[in-house]
Amino acid sequence: EKEQGLSQLMKMMGLQGRIYSVVSYIFFFLLYCLSTAFVIVVAVLLDFRYFTVNSPAVYVLFFFMWGHVLVALSFFMSTFFSRTRAASIVCYMLVFVTGMIAGQLQRRFLEQEDAEGINRAFQIIPAFTLYRGLFELSSYTAGNGNGLSWDNFDGATNMQASMIAMVPLWIVMLVLSVYLGNVLPTAAGA
């Protein structure tokens, strides 16, 4: 978008910046929903325990909320880059590194009951929030587990914490992306 100057072009044609941003947000969220639905359907057809034992309502809501965080994160990260190649390289590395760190650190701290403060601090980083929820879903399917459903959701403290943490993450990243998009200089100098 920045590389091709699409938002500047739309502004010159009379489209308000808010409208362009909302349409972009909806497009990218729908793209995420389609790809996630495809993965879930394939996983159910292949009888992956992760998706067949856990309640679809729980993991669909979790992935729905994560989709909003992911799109807001992409809008936030886009404010720092003007070239697609640089953004792709940095963001792929960021996903890889934070995924590895989240896997190692949270595996250690999620199983400790006295580490709730550390776990909450990790929720600032979106990948850690995702991993915490995925960890909870997998722990309910481990062995011959019955899976996570609304009936036993009260005991799923990690899943509850992940879903609760996603709401402020989503809001903060959207607000920051709007603010930084208006404050940081662009290639057009606006």
Side-chain angles (χ1 to χ4, degrees), residues 7-157:
S7 66
Q8 295 296 328
L9 182 64
M10 292 296 142
K11 286 179 185 176
M12 286 190 292
M13 295 174 74
L15 185 67
Q16 292 181 350
R18 288 185 307 240
I19 305 282
Y20 181 78
S21 297
V22 168
V23 169
S24 295
Y25 185 93
I26 291 170
F27 173 76
F28 290 122
F29 183 72
L30 287 176
L31 190 63
Y32 164 81
C33 287
L34 288 173
S35 62
T36 303
F38 177 75
V39 168
I40 290 172
V41 167
V42 169
V44 168
L45 290 175
L46 295 175
D47 203 31
F48 287 180
R49 227 175 117 62
Y50 194 85
F51 292 97
T52 57
V53 176
N54 286 316
S55 170
V58 173
Y59 63 75
V60 165
L61 176 63
F62 177 73
F63 289 138
F64 178 81
M65 292 175 73
W66 172 248
H68 284 293
V69 172
L70 189 63
V71 172
L73 177 64
S74 67
F75 274 48
F76 172 71
M77 294 299 290
S78 73
T79 61
F80 300 108
F81 299 100
S82 60
R83 300 276 179 228
T84 306
R85 177 172 279 184
S88 296
I89 291 169
V90 170
C91 290
Y92 277 122
M93 289 176 59
L94 185 67
V95 166
F96 183 70
V97 169
T98 57
M100 286 178 42
I101 292 171
Q104 294 301 315
L105 290 178
Q106 289 210 333
R107 192 170 301 136
R108 176 181 296 154
F109 292 116
L110 282 176
E111 295 173 354
Q112 296 178 7
E113 294 192 18
D114 60 338
E116 186 58 32
I118 295 171
N119 287 328
R120 283 196 182 137
F122 285 147
Q123 300 292 334
I124 295 170
I125 303 168
F128 286 42
T129 304
L130 172 69
Y131 190 83
R132 189 172 184 179
L134 294 176
F135 180 85
E136 187 77 2
L137 284 170
S138 67
S139 68
Y140 272 82
T141 60
N144 288 329
N146 295 331
L148 183 60
S149 66
W150 294 122
D151 296 334
N152 58 0
F153 193 76
D154 289 339
T157 56

